[in-house]
């Protein structure tokens, strides 16, 4: 990843507080470059003073020292990390001043995890939610336990998050619909459809009619689903997602 222009911190603030993210969302991420200092350098990592989070004094089981280790290109987890330094990690020495941030990056969400109470990590604020994100071009592999990057959408880092595309944005998990062919389905995610008749065909035929959303759906919700599926198809939703994510969606997303 090359260098990118520094922007004033006040110009970026994620909108995660107003968006309930879900698996399948395609996002654009960006975090303005912020000045910090290099605490130490090892063969595969550069540790920098993290300029955003505070130490959690009540986290007795997790003692964070205010330093975060960023991988160099030779580290196994280089591609799993989005924060980069300027100058590049390989050019830094202990005591150097550098910038750290995220260049504009497109990702997609593999899964969303909620924590109540918020998770104790040693840092403040404590995350109440993590998005497991994958890079553009990377498909979710259900066989891998540690594939994505865990991002707190409302954490201390001033990350700007833009929702680029949400497949089936007009449906909610648990919705029940009937399709053009008269088949009833339950929607659990854009690529996670369950036909009530038990047949193997896993793609609903548009247009769709909303039957249930936590009971009887509101008239405006029913009208919205009908309007949004009057044209188009499941295949077009898939094609649009694939063009942005540059990957094939997993049919086994959590």
């Amino acid at each position: 990843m090359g260098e990118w222009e520094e922007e004033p911190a006040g110009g970026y603030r994620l909108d995660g507080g107003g968006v309930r993210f879900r698996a399948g969302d395609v996002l654009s991420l960006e975090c303005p470059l912020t000045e910090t200092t290099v605490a130490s350098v090892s063969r595969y990592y550069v540790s920098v003073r993290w300029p955003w989070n505070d130490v959690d004094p009540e986290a007795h089981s997790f003692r964070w020292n205010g330093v975060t280790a960023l991988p160099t290109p030779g580290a196994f987890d280089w591609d799993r990390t989005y924060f980069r330094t300027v100058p590049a990690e390989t050019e830094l020495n202990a005591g150097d001043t550098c910038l750290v941030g995220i260049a504009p990056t497109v990702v997609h969400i593999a899964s969303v995890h909620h924590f109540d109470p918020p998770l104790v990590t040693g840092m403040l604020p404590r995350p109440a939610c993590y998005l497991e994100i994958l890079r553009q071009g990377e498909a979710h592999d259900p066989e891998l336990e540690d594939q994505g990057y865990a991002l707190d959408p409302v954490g201390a880092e001033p990350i700007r998050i833009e929702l680029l595309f949400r497949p089936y944005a007009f449906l909610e998990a648990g919705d029940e619909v009937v399709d053009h062919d008269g088949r009833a389905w339950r929607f659990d995610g854009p690529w996670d459809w369950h036909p009530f008749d038990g047949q193997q065909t896993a793609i609903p035929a548009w247009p769709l009619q909303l039957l249930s959303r936590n009971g009887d759906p509101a008239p405006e919700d029913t009208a919205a689903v009908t309007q949004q599926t009057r044209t188009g198809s499941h295949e077009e939703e898939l094609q649009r997602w694939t063009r942005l994510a540059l990957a094939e969606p997993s049919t086994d997303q959590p």
Side-chain angles (χ1 to χ4, degrees):
M1 185 178 298
E3 294 187 3
W4 65 100
E5 295 295 324
E6 182 180 4
E7 296 286 347
Y12 289 85
R13 185 61 238 172
L14 59 83
D15 58 358
V19 175
R20 187 172 181 84
F21 297 100
R22 69 188 195 188
D25 287 352
V26 182
L27 311 174
S28 173
L29 307 181
E30 186 174 3
C31 182
L33 289 166
T34 301
E35 186 175 290
T36 188
T37 57
V38 178
S40 64
V41 174
S42 65
R43 182 178 181 182
Y44 294 115
Y45 294 91
V46 172
S47 296
V48 300
R49 301 289 176 188
W50 208 237
W52 302 292
N53 295 83
D54 295 322
V55 174
D56 186 348
E58 302 299 323
H60 303 297
S61 299
F62 298 88
R63 307 301 297 179
W64 183 55
N65 62 359
V67 169
T68 294
L70 300 176
T72 62
F76 77 95
D77 54 349
W78 167 254
D79 289 335
R80 300 183 191 177
T81 305
Y82 295 84
F83 284 96
R84 297 288 189 245
T85 63
V86 177
E89 290 81 3
T90 52
E91 301 176 16
L92 296 175
N93 297 298
D96 286 352
T97 297
C98 68
L99 302 172
V100 61
I102 301 176
T105 305
V106 175
V107 302
H108 56 98
I109 299 178
S111 59
V112 181
H113 306 279
H114 297 279
F115 309 104
D116 186 13
L119 198 64
V120 178
T121 64
M123 298 180 176
L124 291 177
R126 296 180 177 181
C129 172
Y130 272 145
L131 309 179
E132 183 183 345
I133 58 175
L134 300 175
R135 289 184 180 278
Q136 193 177 45
E138 182 179 10
H140 175 69
D141 185 346
E143 300 299 321
L144 296 179
E145 294 184 1
D146 186 22
Q147 182 185 14
Y149 177 84
L151 173 71
D152 180 358
V154 291
E157 296 94 343
I159 301 174
R160 178 187 178 187
I161 302 179
E162 180 185 355
L163 178 61
L164 299 180
F165 179 57
R166 168 170 291 171
Y168 283 94
F170 46 85
L171 292 181
E172 298 179 4
D175 280 357
E176 296 177 3
V177 303
V178 62
D179 72 1
H180 175 71
D181 297 332
R183 300 181 67 197
W185 302 77
R186 187 182 76 248
F187 172 81
D188 288 324
W191 327 124
D192 191 9
W193 287 89
H194 301 275
F196 289 165
D197 58 18
Q199 295 183 24
Q200 292 184 348
T201 303
I203 298 176
W206 289 24
L208 306 177
Q209 179 182 349
L210 183 62
L211 298 177
S212 174
R213 175 173 291 172
N214 297 319
D216 292 333
E220 57 269 24
D221 294 334
T222 301
V225 172
T226 300
Q227 175 64 30
Q228 291 294 326
T229 60
R230 186 166 293 158
T231 60
S233 65
H234 175 91
E235 290 81 359
E236 289 184 19
E237 289 286 285
L238 174 58
Q239 290 169 6
R240 184 177 177 189
W241 186 91
T242 301
R243 284 196 299 268
L244 288 170
L246 301 182
E248 292 296 321
S250 170
T251 57
D252 192 26
Q253 287 183 341

